[in-house]
Amino acid sequence: MKDIKHFINGEYVGSASGKTFDNVNPANGRVLSRVHEAGREEVNAAVNAARAAFNGPWGRMTVDQRTEILHKVADGINARFEEFLDAECQDTGKPRSLASHIDIPRGAANFKVFADLIKNVPAESFEMPTPDGTGALNYGIRRPKGVIGVISPWNLPLLLMTWKVGPALACGNTVVVKPSEETPTTTALLGEVMKAAGVPDGVYNVVHGFGGNSAGAFLTEHPDVDAFTFTGETGTGETIMRAAAKGVRQVSLELGGKNAGIVFADCDMDKAIEGTLRSVFANCGQVCLGTERVYVERSIFDEFVARLKAGAESLVIGPPDDETSNFGPLISLKHREKVLSYYQKAIDEGATVITGGGVPDMPAELAHGAWVQPTIWTGLKDDSPVVTEEIFGPCCHIRPFDSEAEAVQLANSLPYGLASAIWTENVTRAHRVAAQVEAGIVWVNSWFLRDLRTSFGGSKQSGIGREGGVHSLEFYTELKNICIKL
Ligand code: NAD
C-alpha cells in the first residue's frame, strides 16, 4: 500500500510516532493509501524549515526570480495533469469531467496568475508639505509576512490550497500546509513539482493529520507561524481565530455559507434552471458557493420546481472514471450521515420531497461508497434547520416569494453571507438587488464565474478578509510607509 508522508524541507518524511490513518476512496470505500499523521515534532520541523527558507534563499530572491519559478510550478502541474487528476478524483470521488475543467487547471493557474499580478501592482506614494517648506515624500513598500500556516478543506483540494499557496509564495512568504485528512494526495504530490521547479527546500512544507489535537491544532498553536489562512467550516474558523489571537497573528478565513438563489419571474428560465442546477448539484453539492436556498417569484414557482426536478433527475450518478457520469459521491460515509440526517429532518418537519431524499441503488462494486440522491424540497418553514443550516450536500429547498423586498429580506435572513445568485433580465433590478444582498460575492445570471483578479470572501459568519487579485497581496504582505524629509 502507498504511504503518504509529510513534505518537510524538501524531503518526504514519515511520522516519528509511526501513527498513520487510512485515505479512503469515497466512491467504493476502498483504502487508497496510508497517511502519516504529524505530531508536534513534525510540525516543529516544518515551521523551522519554513523560517530558515524565509530568512534564506527565498527571502533573498528577486520578484522576477520567484515569478519564473512559480511559472515552472504551474507548468509542472500541467505536465503531470493526468496524475493530479487521478489523485484528485480518487480522493474525492468527483467526476473527471469536473476535475479536468476546474480543479487541476485552476490549481496550476493559481501560481501563474498571482505571480504575474503581484509583480505588477504599483506602490502608493504621497508628497506632503512641511512647515519649513522643503516637504516630505511618503512611499509604501510591501514586505512578505513570513511563515504562513495554510489549512485547507476537502471539497476542491488542489484548487483551494494553491489559491492560498500561489499568492503566499509570490509575495515572498514560505508556507506550512495542512491539507484535509480526507484529501492528502495532491498536496503531497505538489512537493515533487515544487522541487523539480527549483523552489528552494523549506519554502513549501506539508504536514498531514486531523484538526483538533493533531496537525491542524499543533500548527495553529505554533508561536513561530506569522499568519493563518483557512478555508473550512465556520466553527473551525472560530477555533483557529482563538489560537491565532495568541501572539496577535492575522487570519484570513473563508468559511461556510447557506447561499440563496433568487429567481425573478422576468428571468430567462433556461439560464436560471441550468445555473441553479449547477449551483445546487455540482461536486455533489459540496461547493462553499453552492445554493441551498432557492427563492422563486410565485408566478413561475410551479414551472421552476418542475423543471429543476427534471434536471435533477437527469443527472448521471456514477464513479469518476465513468465518462457519462456527472454526479459523484459525497466525501465520506461520515459526511453522508450528516447529509442524510437533514434528509430525515426535512421529512420530520413536513417537507414535500420533490425528488430524491435517500440513497441511490448502486452496483455491488460501489455499494460501500458515500452515494446520496440529489434532493429538492418545498414546503418547509423559514426557521427549519434544513433551511437555516449549511448541509453541504446535493440538495435545496425552494420557496415562493411575492415581492422584491421579500426576496431580499429572505436572502439576508441568516447569519451567513458568502455568495448569492440572482436571475433576472431586468438590468435595473439586477443592480438594485445585488447591492442589497448581504454577501461577499453576487452573481447575476451566472454562477461560479470567477476572474482571479476579483475579490473573494464572505461577509457575516462566512469569513473575514478578502483574497483574490490585489486583495491577496493585502493579506500576504505587510505594507510599510517610509517618510523621507526632503
Ligand atoms: P473543516 O472546517 O472541517 O476542515 C477544514 C480544515 O481544517 C481541515 O484541514 C481540517 O483538518 C482542519 N481543522 C479542523 N479542525 C481544526 C482545528 N481545531 N485546528 C486546526 N485545523 C483544524 O471543513 P471541511 O469539512 O474540510 O470543509 C467543508 C467546509 O468548508 C464547509 O463549511 C464549506 O462551506 C467550507 N468552505 C468554504 C469555502 C469558502 O471559500 N468560504 C470554500 C470551500 C469550503
Side-chain angles (χ1 to χ4, degrees), residues 136-476:
L137 175 65
N138 292 278
Y139 66 92
I141 57 170
R142 291 191 175 273
R143 287 292 173 263
K145 276 220 163 79
V147 176
I148 309 286
V150 178
I151 301 178
S152 50
W154 44 258
N155 59 331
L156 299 153
L158 183 73
L159 187 157
L160 289 175
M161 182 269 294
T162 54
W163 161 253
K164 294 167 178 306
V165 170
L169 298 191
C171 289
N173 302 282
T174 58
V175 296
V176 178
V177 184
K178 209 298 280 170
S180 168
E181 54 275 26
E182 305 280 3
T183 52
T185 314
T186 48
T187 306
L189 192 54
L190 186 60
E192 289 179 24
V193 171
M194 291 274 180
K195 190 126 185 155
V199 175
D201 293 347
V203 171
Y204 174 77
N205 303 276
V206 182
V207 288
H208 299 286
F210 301 88
N213 198 29
S214 183
F218 301 154
L219 182 59
T220 57
E221 287 162 11
H222 199 296
D224 202 28
V225 181
D226 296 297
F228 296 96
T229 175
F230 168 74
T231 301
E233 285 180 13
T234 297
T236 314
E238 287 177 349
T239 306
I240 289 173
M241 208 173 163
R242 270 194 293 275
K246 191 140 195 222
V248 199
R249 278 93 54 87
Q250 245 182 323
V251 288
S252 171
L253 303 177
E254 295 175 352
L255 308 177
K258 185 75 179 175
N259 308 307
I262 308 176
V263 188
F264 289 97
D266 57 17
C267 73
D268 176 322
M269 183 65 103
D270 291 344
K271 277 193 225 159
I273 291 291
E274 188 274 331
T276 308
L277 271 175
R278 275 195 303 117
S279 75
V280 177
F281 299 116
N283 209 34
C284 200
Q286 305 165 119
V287 182
C288 55
L289 306 163
T291 304
E292 289 192 359
R293 301 178 288 151
V294 188
Y295 299 110
V296 180
E297 197 159 357
R298 196 175 298 275
S299 61
I300 59 161
F301 184 78
D302 290 344
E303 183 192 352
F304 184 90
V305 171
R307 288 190 59 181
L308 203 72
K309 168 182 156 72
E313 290 173 356
S314 70
L315 291 167
V316 183
I317 305 182
D321 43 2
D322 174 349
E323 278 181 12
T324 59
S325 128
N326 56 11
F327 188 88
L330 290 169
I331 189 66
S332 64
L333 291 174
K334 185 165 161 241
H335 187 48
R336 184 170 75 168
E337 256 174 59
K338 176 184 163 185
V339 171
L340 288 177
S341 78
Y342 282 98
Y343 282 20
Q344 185 56 46
K345 214 171 282 183
I347 292 167
D348 295 345
E349 296 195 350
T352 301
V353 181
I354 300 295
T355 188
V359 172
D361 281 335
M362 299 302 288
E365 70 274 17
L366 301 173
H368 299 292
W371 304 95
V372 73
Q373 285 177 325
T375 295
I376 300 172
W377 307 282
T378 59
L380 285 167
K381 295 209 179 94
D382 292 330
D383 61 357
S384 163
V386 178
V387 180
T388 61
E389 295 171 10
E390 182 184 51
I391 301 171
F392 221 52
C395 52
C396 68
H397 178 255
I398 316 182
R399 179 215 198 274
F401 68 82
D402 292 299
S403 69
E404 188 180 298
E406 186 191 12
V408 170
Q409 179 265 321
L410 287 165
N412 290 345
S413 62
L414 298 186
Y416 290 115
L418 186 53
S420 188
I422 299 167
W423 302 91
T424 176
E425 291 295 298
N426 177 333
V427 73
T428 310
R429 186 204 293 280
H431 287 292
R432 193 168 54 224
V433 174
Q436 290 176 73
V437 169
E438 294 165 355
I441 302 149
V442 178
W443 279 289
V444 176
N445 297 332
S446 69
W447 178 75
F448 211 156
L449 192 55
R450 290 275 303 124
D451 181 326
L452 300 185
R453 294 168 299 180
T454 63
S455 70
F456 181 93
S459 56
K460 303 202 271 188
Q461 290 181 22
S462 290
I464 293 187
R466 294 290 181 270
E467 295 195 34
V470 292
H471 310 284
S472 293
L473 193 85
E474 301 281 334
F475 179 71
Y476 293 108

